[in-house]
Amino acid sequence: AQSVTQPDARVTVSEGASLQLRCKYSYFGTPYLFWYVQYPRQGLQLLLKYYPGDPVVQGVNGFEAEFSKSNSSFHLRKASVHWSDWAVYFCAVTSTGGYKVVFGSGTRLLVSP
Amino acid sequence: AQTIHQWPVAEIKAVGSPLSLGCTIKGKSSPNLYWYWQATGGTLQQLFYSITVGQVESVVQLNLSASRPKDDQFILSTEKLLLSHSGFYLCAWSPGEGSNERLFFGHGTKLSVL
Protein backbone atom coordinates (compact mmCIF):
# COMPACT_ATOMS: atom_id res chain seq x y z
CA ALA A 1 0.00 0.00 0.00
CA GLN A 2 1.05 3.57 -0.53
CA SER A 3 2.33 5.36 2.54
CA VAL A 4 4.13 8.53 3.52
CA THR A 5 6.26 9.04 6.61
CA GLN A 6 7.22 12.43 7.96
CA PRO A 7 9.47 11.56 10.88
CA ASP A 8 9.60 15.02 12.42
CA ALA A 9 6.37 16.17 14.03
CA ARG A 10 7.87 19.55 14.85
CA VAL A 11 10.86 21.50 13.57
CA THR A 12 12.11 24.82 14.94
CA VAL A 13 14.30 27.03 12.76
CA SER A 14 15.68 30.50 13.28
CA GLU A 15 14.52 33.12 10.83
CA GLY A 16 17.04 33.35 8.00
CA ALA A 17 18.39 29.85 8.56
CA SER A 18 18.06 27.01 6.09
CA LEU A 19 15.38 24.34 6.36
CA GLN A 20 14.92 20.70 5.48
CA LEU A 21 11.70 18.80 6.14
CA ARG A 22 11.92 15.07 5.64
CA CYS A 23 9.54 12.80 3.74
CA LYS A 24 9.83 9.09 3.00
CA TYR A 25 7.34 7.29 0.78
CA SER A 26 6.38 3.85 -0.41
CA TYR A 27 4.24 3.17 -3.44
CA PHE A 28 3.18 0.81 -6.18
CA GLY A 29 3.84 2.00 -9.68
CA THR A 30 5.10 5.45 -10.58
CA PRO A 31 4.98 7.90 -7.66
CA TYR A 32 3.71 11.43 -7.99
CA LEU A 33 4.77 13.44 -4.97
CA PHE A 34 3.56 16.70 -3.53
CA TRP A 35 4.29 19.10 -0.72
CA TYR A 36 1.41 21.12 0.66
CA VAL A 37 1.34 23.81 3.34
CA GLN A 38 -1.52 24.45 5.78
CA TYR A 39 -1.90 27.73 7.62
CA PRO A 40 -4.10 27.78 10.75
CA ARG A 41 -7.77 26.96 10.16
CA GLN A 42 -7.30 26.82 6.40
CA GLY A 43 -7.20 24.29 3.63
CA LEU A 44 -3.98 23.11 2.09
CA GLN A 45 -2.05 24.97 -0.58
CA LEU A 46 0.34 23.38 -3.03
CA LEU A 47 4.03 24.22 -2.66
CA LEU A 48 5.40 21.97 -5.37
CA LYS A 49 4.84 18.70 -7.18
CA TYR A 50 7.08 16.01 -8.62
CA TYR A 51 6.21 14.18 -11.79
CA PRO A 52 8.77 11.72 -13.24
CA GLY A 53 11.64 13.71 -14.68
CA ASP A 54 14.10 16.14 -13.13
CA PRO A 55 14.58 15.02 -9.49
CA VAL A 56 14.89 18.58 -8.17
CA VAL A 57 11.64 20.48 -8.24
CA GLN A 58 11.21 24.20 -7.69
CA GLY A 59 8.14 25.47 -5.92
CA VAL A 60 6.65 28.69 -4.67
CA ASN A 61 8.20 31.08 -2.12
CA GLY A 62 11.72 29.69 -2.56
CA PHE A 63 10.90 26.09 -1.67
CA GLU A 64 12.40 23.18 -3.53
CA ALA A 65 12.39 19.41 -3.09
CA GLU A 66 14.54 16.57 -4.28
CA PHE A 67 13.21 13.18 -5.30
CA SER A 68 15.40 10.18 -4.57
CA LYS A 69 14.29 6.78 -5.82
CA SER A 70 17.13 4.95 -4.09
CA ASN A 71 16.27 6.50 -0.70
CA SER A 72 12.49 6.63 -1.29
CA SER A 73 12.64 10.24 -0.15
CA PHE A 74 11.24 13.59 -1.17
CA HIS A 75 12.71 16.14 1.22
CA LEU A 76 11.65 19.77 1.19
CA ARG A 77 14.27 22.52 1.45
CA LYS A 78 14.47 26.26 1.73
CA ALA A 79 17.65 28.32 1.85
CA SER A 80 16.37 31.09 4.13
CA VAL A 81 13.26 30.74 6.28
CA HIS A 82 10.91 33.67 6.84
CA TRP A 83 8.58 34.11 9.80
CA SER A 84 5.61 33.74 7.43
CA ASP A 85 6.69 30.14 6.75
CA TRP A 86 5.31 29.20 10.20
CA ALA A 87 2.77 26.49 9.24
CA VAL A 88 2.20 22.75 8.95
CA TYR A 89 3.75 21.01 5.95
CA PHE A 90 2.37 17.83 4.44
CA CYS A 91 4.01 15.45 2.02
CA ALA A 92 1.66 13.40 -0.18
CA VAL A 93 1.90 10.62 -2.74
CA THR A 94 -0.36 9.26 -5.42
CA SER A 95 0.19 7.05 -8.41
CA THR A 96 -1.37 6.32 -11.75
CA GLY A 97 -4.38 4.08 -11.90
CA GLY A 98 -6.14 5.26 -8.76
CA TYR A 99 -7.63 8.26 -7.05
CA LYS A 100 -6.22 7.78 -3.60
CA VAL A 101 -3.90 10.50 -2.36
CA VAL A 102 -2.05 9.55 0.80
CA PHE A 103 -0.75 12.24 3.14
CA GLY A 104 1.96 12.09 5.75
CA SER A 105 1.29 13.08 9.33
CA GLY A 106 2.62 16.58 8.78
CA THR A 107 5.52 18.60 10.18
CA ARG A 108 4.82 21.73 12.16
CA LEU A 109 7.41 24.39 11.38
CA LEU A 110 8.11 26.96 14.06
CA VAL A 111 10.22 30.00 13.20
CA SER A 112 12.12 31.69 15.99
CA PRO A 113 13.30 35.31 15.75
CA ALA B 1 -10.95 31.03 -12.58
CA GLN B 2 -12.06 28.04 -10.57
CA THR B 3 -13.37 28.45 -7.05
CA ILE B 4 -14.27 25.98 -4.33
CA HIS B 5 -16.70 26.83 -1.58
CA GLN B 6 -17.38 24.75 1.50
CA TRP B 7 -20.28 25.19 3.87
CA PRO B 8 -20.78 25.69 6.72
CA VAL B 9 -17.54 27.14 8.04
CA ALA B 10 -18.13 25.56 11.42
CA GLU B 11 -20.71 23.37 13.15
CA ILE B 12 -21.38 22.38 16.73
CA LYS B 13 -23.61 19.31 16.89
CA ALA B 14 -24.88 16.85 19.46
CA VAL B 15 -23.98 13.18 19.44
CA GLY B 16 -26.64 11.26 17.54
CA SER B 17 -27.78 14.21 15.46
CA PRO B 18 -27.62 14.29 11.65
CA LEU B 19 -24.99 16.14 9.63
CA SER B 20 -24.72 17.51 6.14
CA LEU B 21 -21.63 19.30 4.81
CA GLY B 22 -21.39 20.70 1.32
CA CYS B 23 -18.88 21.68 -1.29
CA THR B 24 -19.35 23.46 -4.62
CA ILE B 25 -16.81 23.92 -7.40
CA LYS B 26 -17.32 26.64 -9.94
CA GLY B 27 -15.47 27.23 -13.20
CA LYS B 28 -14.45 23.64 -13.91
CA SER B 29 -16.55 20.97 -15.56
CA SER B 30 -16.29 17.30 -14.55
CA PRO B 31 -13.74 17.69 -11.77
CA ASN B 32 -12.63 14.82 -9.57
CA LEU B 33 -13.93 15.50 -6.07
CA TYR B 34 -12.60 14.40 -2.70
CA TRP B 35 -13.52 14.52 0.98
CA TYR B 36 -10.81 14.47 3.63
CA TRP B 37 -11.04 14.38 7.42
CA GLN B 38 -8.38 15.83 9.67
CA ALA B 39 -8.29 15.22 13.40
CA THR B 40 -7.07 18.18 15.43
CA GLY B 41 -3.36 18.48 14.79
CA GLY B 42 -3.40 15.33 12.68
CA THR B 43 -2.94 14.09 9.18
CA LEU B 44 -5.51 14.01 6.42
CA GLN B 45 -7.51 10.85 5.94
CA GLN B 46 -9.19 10.48 2.57
CA LEU B 47 -12.84 9.53 3.01
CA PHE B 48 -14.39 9.53 -0.46
CA TYR B 49 -13.73 10.43 -4.04
CA SER B 50 -15.91 10.91 -7.08
CA ILE B 51 -14.97 11.10 -10.72
CA THR B 52 -18.44 11.62 -12.13
CA VAL B 53 -21.96 12.65 -11.15
CA GLY B 54 -23.80 10.03 -9.14
CA GLN B 55 -20.72 7.91 -8.56
CA VAL B 56 -18.89 7.98 -5.23
CA GLU B 57 -16.19 5.64 -3.98
CA SER B 58 -15.52 5.09 -0.28
CA VAL B 59 -11.93 4.93 0.92
CA VAL B 60 -12.50 4.33 4.65
CA GLN B 61 -15.53 3.44 6.69
CA LEU B 62 -16.29 6.07 9.32
CA ASN B 63 -20.11 5.87 9.43
CA LEU B 64 -20.29 8.67 6.90
CA SER B 65 -21.71 8.79 3.41
CA ALA B 66 -21.17 11.04 0.41
CA SER B 67 -23.13 11.93 -2.67
CA ARG B 68 -22.56 13.89 -5.86
CA PRO B 69 -25.99 15.08 -6.98
CA LYS B 70 -24.60 17.54 -9.53
CA ASP B 71 -21.36 17.85 -11.46
CA ASP B 72 -20.19 20.72 -9.27
CA GLN B 73 -21.51 19.58 -5.87
CA PHE B 74 -20.26 17.09 -3.29
CA ILE B 75 -22.16 16.36 -0.08
CA LEU B 76 -20.91 14.59 3.07
CA SER B 77 -23.51 13.35 5.53
CA THR B 78 -24.48 11.03 8.31
CA GLU B 79 -27.73 10.34 10.14
CA LYS B 80 -26.08 9.88 13.53
CA LEU B 81 -22.98 11.72 14.63
CA LEU B 82 -20.39 10.15 16.90
CA LEU B 83 -17.89 11.93 19.12
CA SER B 84 -15.15 10.58 16.87
CA HIS B 85 -16.53 12.58 13.94
CA SER B 86 -15.15 15.77 15.43
CA GLY B 87 -12.42 17.39 13.38
CA PHE B 88 -11.79 19.40 10.26
CA TYR B 89 -13.40 18.36 6.98
CA LEU B 90 -11.79 19.37 3.75
CA CYS B 91 -13.25 19.16 0.27
CA ALA B 92 -10.87 19.15 -2.68
CA TRP B 93 -10.98 18.89 -6.45
CA SER B 94 -8.56 17.98 -9.21
CA PRO B 95 -8.88 18.69 -12.93
CA GLY B 96 -10.17 15.24 -13.82
CA GLU B 97 -7.67 14.27 -16.48
CA GLY B 98 -5.91 11.64 -14.41
CA SER B 99 -5.36 10.44 -10.92
CA ASN B 100 -1.95 11.99 -10.32
CA GLU B 101 -2.79 15.66 -10.31
CA ARG B 102 -2.54 18.25 -7.61
CA LEU B 103 -5.50 18.89 -5.35
CA PHE B 104 -7.20 22.24 -4.82
CA PHE B 105 -8.62 22.48 -1.32
CA GLY B 106 -11.48 24.40 0.15
CA HIS B 107 -11.11 26.28 3.43
CA GLY B 108 -12.66 23.45 5.38
CA THR B 109 -15.44 22.95 7.92
CA LYS B 110 -14.65 22.63 11.61
CA LEU B 111 -17.00 20.14 13.25
CA SER B 112 -17.35 19.81 17.00
CA VAL B 113 -19.49 16.95 18.26
CA LEU B 114 -20.53 17.25 21.90
Side-chain angles (χ1 to χ4, degrees), chain A residues 32 34 36 38 41-46 49 51 90 94-106 108, chain B residues 32 34 36 38 41-44 46 49 51 58-59 88 90 98-108 110:
Chain A
Y32 297 85
F34 306 83
Y36 290 88
Q38 185 178 33
R41 301 282 185 117
Q42 293 189 29
L44 280 69
Q45 302 171 30
L46 182 73
K49 61 186 178 186
Y51 290 179
F90 291 94
T94 188
S95 62
T96 54
Y99 293 87
K100 295 181 183 178
V101 183
V102 177
F103 285 80
S105 53
R108 184 175 299 275
Chain B
N32 297 329
Y34 307 80
Y36 280 85
Q38 185 180 29
T43 191
L44 284 80
Q46 188 173 353
Y49 66 89
I51 60 176
S58 174
V59 177
F88 197 50
L90 289 159
S99 60
N100 53 18
E101 305 149 332
R102 61 160 296 176
L103 298 174
F104 295 84
F105 285 87
H107 284 277
K110 181 172 172 59

Side-chain angles (χ1 to χ4, degrees), chain A residues 70-113:
Chain A
S70 59
N71 293 326
S72 297
S73 68
F74 188 56
H75 301 330
L76 181 71
R77 302 189 295 241
K78 187 171 184 178
S80 177
V81 170
H82 188 264
W83 67 266
S84 60
D85 294 325
W86 187 311
V88 182
Y89 292 79
F90 291 94
C91 183
V93 66
T94 188
S95 62
T96 54
Y99 293 87
K100 295 181 183 178
V101 183
V102 177
F103 285 80
S105 53
T107 297
R108 184 175 299 275
L109 174 64
L110 308 176
V111 181
S112 61

Side-chain angles (χ1 to χ4, degrees), chain A residues 54-66:
Chain A
D54 190 336
V56 179
V57 183
Q58 302 297 322
V60 298
N61 297 333
F63 286 96
E64 68 172 29
E66 184 165 5

Side-chain angles (χ1 to χ4, degrees), chain B residues 37 45-48 58 60-64 78 82 84-85 89:
Chain B
W37 171 76
Q45 172 65 63
Q46 188 173 353
L47 302 175
F48 300 94
S58 174
V60 293
Q61 290 297 328
L62 288 179
N63 293 306
L64 295 166
T78 182
L82 306 173
S84 57
H85 286 137
Y89 288 84

